[in-house]
Amino acid sequence: MSAIPANGWLSRVKSAMSKTRDSLAAPVNRVFGRGVFDDETWDELEEILIGADMGLTAATEIIDRIRRDALRHPPGDSGELKEMLQAAIAAEMIPAPILGKHDASLTVIFLVGVNGTGKTTTAGKLARRFADAGGTVVIAAADTFRAAAIEQVAVWADRTGAYLVKHKRGGDSAAVAYDAAAAAKARGADYLIIDTAGRLQTKAPLMEELKKVKGVLTRELPEAHLLSWLVMDATTGQNGLAQATAFAEKIGLDGLILTKLDGTAKGGIVVAVARATGLPVVMLGTGETEADLIDFDSNNFAAALLD
Amino acid sequence: MFDTLAGRFTDILAGIRGRGRVDEKDIAEASRQIRLALLEADVNFKVVKDIVADVKNLALGESVLKSLTPGQQVVKVLRDELARVMGESAVQLKIGKKPDVILLTGLQGSGKTTAAAKLALLLRREGKKVLLVAADTYRPAAQDQLVSLGAELNVDVWRGKTGQTAIDIAAAAVHGESGTQPDVVIVDTAGRLHIDNDLMAEIVALKSAVKPGHILFVADAMIGQDAVNQASAFDDALDFEGVILTKLDGDARGGAALSIKRVTGKPIMFVSTGEKPQDFEVFHPDRMAARILGMGDVISLIERAETAVDESEARALAEKLERDAFTLDDFLSQLEQISKMGGLNDMISMLPKHMLPKELRGAEVEESGLGRTKAIIQSMTSQERQTPRLIDGSRRARIARGSGTTVTEVNGLLKQFDAMRKMVKSAQGKSKKRGWPAGFPG
């Protein structure tokens, strides 16, 4: 895989967030800049975390902990306090190498999530990344439900030179996965990306269908390195917890991709998700171009969340 | 949540009664509980502050303290207040001059294209001739998506020519180039971030080009704290008329509805409640308020039941339930009725979660298998239908053979039936113990 420049993450997140940084920086810097650490300071810091969708439980616990630490080791100045908070947020996230260590010749990326989070766009961006690294990529158009979903992913396959396996709309997504597995084997592909239909986690028959698709992949590609990633929209509120829990329970998850970080939403829900499920965030979607998919780094994420 | 919220208030109020007066500590504790409930439902924290300030005194007001079930009375007071903030009643979309233009806008993935098709269907049912305009020229195959939905629903779609801009496409459609003479033109646009200056400028230009009679902001019910940023930016740029809230068929509590109304003053007008084109309804503030507080949408459920269920049949069934004599035969006839009411999953999704047995929480029941379920029951002897526990392994195998299904499916049905009986029993138990919880329409 092509290495992302070491300084790439922060600069891209920052440039993606540059339009909003002014307004976002204001409350944080106001709180830190006051230089007084009274009840009001802690309440305002907690609100900033809640405002980032971290949820009340995670926000309260993190602030309480920092507050205790600050009593024992008083921060010299507000900059130091900010670093403590940043480190505490980063520590909640589980570090994980993107693809993990493995010897398999084929890596399968199974993309799942609720409707409209950006699975198809992420599939396209992943295909670009893998192709740029010199890999042979097969994409499975396993969203056979949404109108024109197949056409949409076909455009991405075309742009990135990936081989597309598709059936007709309304077809069986497990059958698409089956054919895609065969195609990946026949072509000696390095990567197989499965784009699935969005589904709310409360729809049991649709969740069952997803399990069936994964079953086909594990059965047909026993030697492959299979990763199931939940694609989550950064604007998601507390329902993100229910999403991650339900998908993890039903099909088993290996990680999260957080999309749409180029807006004003901070995506703090992934902190709550990491605490509840132990799932790592692997990548971030930061825009609409093919290159806007970057590796996750917990320190940079925590910094961006507070900046 | 409803249970816990009502329960927590019962404790606070018990203390007040013991002392005979409300003190600062009570008010602080009541505020804390309300704040917690609203934040868990994704209401924006600034909006939460305002609302808590407004209702904390109401929550410990006379109507609550005098009530026999004060914990539940608090929740009712809260629900009424939230409903009031979201608007007293449903707001109608008034279609005017022909052709009237409806412009849909919103962020990526909020569900604009699907909402466009659903709105078209709703208006056509009201006798309007609708033209859909596919003006999302950015997302790959977005135009194909709308064309395909239009074909399914038998609604005309105008997509202009390849290479045309969104403004050209929409303007041509509004100026009659499609030749279809619609009453209403619905323009679907590309998703855009509220901070993307170029695309926001484009949608403002599109507005001046087609002069829409209505601009609707499409928002995902699952969005969290960011709802206020998005909605106010779009409102500042476009002065939209109202909101379509999508993906309400999940289990998100939908606090975004409250946030958006509070910061823009614009009403939620429609809600999208499922994958089917007809899953699209007028917004009811009182129902949404109940949902935000975790109470489920019991009013909608009762309304549907009233239109679908024959009263005398219902009474006969209620008697059977009372005697715990509900059999698989009754189940069979219920299945017919349930599909008339929009399906079991719809009904389950409208109930407050705490009323459901564990097996049904967050679960969804297979409905496409309704025919198979019928076949399975029809392959049972009448004795088996009356006393399902008679059905042992060998009977299950026979029933599976007879109905052309599998033993697993037969097992599944029996389990489902059992879960339903439990649900009925637990609902009954609750209504016997405490009466229908206050705050529910009875």
Side-chain angles (χ1 to χ4, degrees), chain A:
Chain A
M1 173 174 313
S2 70
I4 296 289
N7 63 348
W9 199 96
L10 196 57
S11 61
R12 278 201 232 178
V13 168
K14 289 231 159 140
S15 86
M17 289 182 160
S18 62
K19 290 167 193 156
T20 56
R21 230 163 0 120
D22 289 345
S23 65
L24 291 171
V28 180
N29 288 345
R30 188 167 45 75
V31 176
F32 286 122
R34 252 198 347 245
V36 206
F37 310 130
D38 54 9
D39 280 356
E40 204 184 326
T41 307
W42 300 111
D43 284 352
E44 285 183 37
L45 288 179
E46 185 187 286
E47 276 183 353
I48 286 165
L49 301 189
I50 290 169
D53 286 315
M54 208 177 275
L56 193 62
T57 315
T60 313
E61 284 181 24
I62 289 173
I63 294 297
D64 285 352
R65 199 164 63 234
I66 299 284
R67 199 170 179 169
R68 279 196 304 274
D69 290 351
L71 277 180
R72 268 181 284 138
H73 312 284
D77 53 24
S78 57
E80 213 172 298
L81 176 65
K82 194 170 171 182
E83 273 167 31
M84 285 170 72
L85 182 54
Q86 215 162 291
I89 296 168
E92 299 286 348
M93 312 300 294
I94 301 93
I98 307 293
L99 297 177
K101 266 202 158 54
H102 65 97
D103 304 319
S105 59
L106 172 65
T107 298
V108 182
I109 307 287
F110 187 40
L111 294 177
V112 301
V114 301
N115 313 65
T117 56
K119 285 175 293 303
T120 306
T121 306
T122 301
K125 291 174 179 179
L126 283 170
R128 163 57 64 210
R129 173 188 271 239
F130 295 150
D132 282 353
T136 310
V137 184
V138 174
I139 298 180
D143 179 354
T144 55
F145 178 78
R146 180 165 58 90
I150 298 168
E151 288 84 342
Q152 186 180 348
V153 78
V155 171
W156 281 106
D158 196 41
R159 283 181 190 171
T160 58
Y163 179 78
L164 180 72
V165 177
K166 60 173 184 177
H167 286 189
K168 282 209 180 69
R169 182 169 171 222
D172 178 5
S173 49
V176 180
Y178 182 88
D179 286 354
K185 277 190 280 192
R187 301 182 157 254
D190 303 301
Y191 300 98
L192 168 60
I193 302 167
I194 318 280
D195 179 34
T196 64
R199 66 203 71 218
L200 297 177
Q201 73 278 8
T202 50
K203 311 248 167 198
L206 298 181
M207 294 297 279
E208 200 56 50
E209 177 195 78
L210 210 54
K211 193 176 176 182
K212 203 172 119 195
V213 174
K214 183 159 179 177
V216 168
L217 294 172
T218 47
R219 196 178 65 233
E220 295 304 312
L221 300 168
E223 309 290 316
H225 182 51
L226 172 61
L227 295 168
S228 304
W229 287 344
L230 178 70
V231 181
M232 192 178 284
D233 185 328
T235 64
T236 309
Q238 298 312 297
N239 194 245
L241 264 180
Q243 292 174 22
T245 316
F247 278 92
E249 266 176 19
K250 193 66 195 181
I251 62 156
L253 291 177
D254 301 290
L256 253 68
I257 294 187
L258 188 64
T259 61
K260 307 188 198 174
L261 269 171
D262 44 338
T264 46
K266 297 304 196 76
I269 184 63
V270 294
V271 178
V273 169
R275 289 165 54 94
T277 65
L279 279 171
V281 179
V282 290
M283 285 187 229
L284 305 174
T286 55
E288 291 199 312
T289 76
E290 294 175 3
D292 295 326
L293 182 71
I294 59 184
D295 294 358
F296 178 78
D297 177 288
S298 56
N299 293 315
N300 291 340
F301 181 75
L305 203 130
L306 291 176
D307 255 349

Side-chain angles (χ1 to χ4, degrees), chain A residues 53 56 115 169 239 264, chain B residues 36 152 194 225-226 247 251:
Chain A
D53 286 315
L56 193 62
N115 313 65
R169 182 169 171 222
N239 194 245
T264 46
Chain B
L36 190 70
E152 272 163 43
H194 49 297
Q225 300 287 319
D226 198 42
K247 307 179 205 174
D251 55 5

